[in-house]
Amino acid sequence: FQSRFKSTLKGRISEKPAGKNGFGWDRIFIPKGSTKTFAEHKYEEKIAISSRTLVLKKFIDYIDILL
């Protein structure tokens, strides 16, 4: 069941930490298609592209199929 819902967020590592939003690797991770680190994004922007959100969407689609 767990392996059914996976997601990957592609990106790169910045040359130096930047931003104040988030924790952990957020200050050094730049998502693919962006010029800002995760910590520089607004909360709403982060949620829209986060791997957790993508997995949750897959789970909701799965539940919709079952119902």
Side-chain angles (χ1 to χ4, degrees), residues 11-31:
R12 60 189 175 87
I13 304 299
S14 67
E15 293 182 18
K16 58 184 176 180
K20 296 184 186 273
N21 302 321
F23 58 93
W25 53 269
D26 288 0
R27 295 186 67 221
I28 61 168
F29 183 74
I30 302 172

Side-chain angles (χ1 to χ4, degrees), residues 15-45:
E15 293 182 18
K16 58 184 176 180
K20 296 184 186 273
N21 302 321
F23 58 93
W25 53 269
D26 288 0
R27 295 186 67 221
I28 61 168
F29 183 74
I30 302 172
K32 185 176 181 179
S34 179
T35 58
K36 302 185 290 186
T37 67
F38 231 39
E40 293 175 292
H41 283 85
K42 293 179 182 175
Y43 176 77
E44 294 80 13
E45 295 171 326

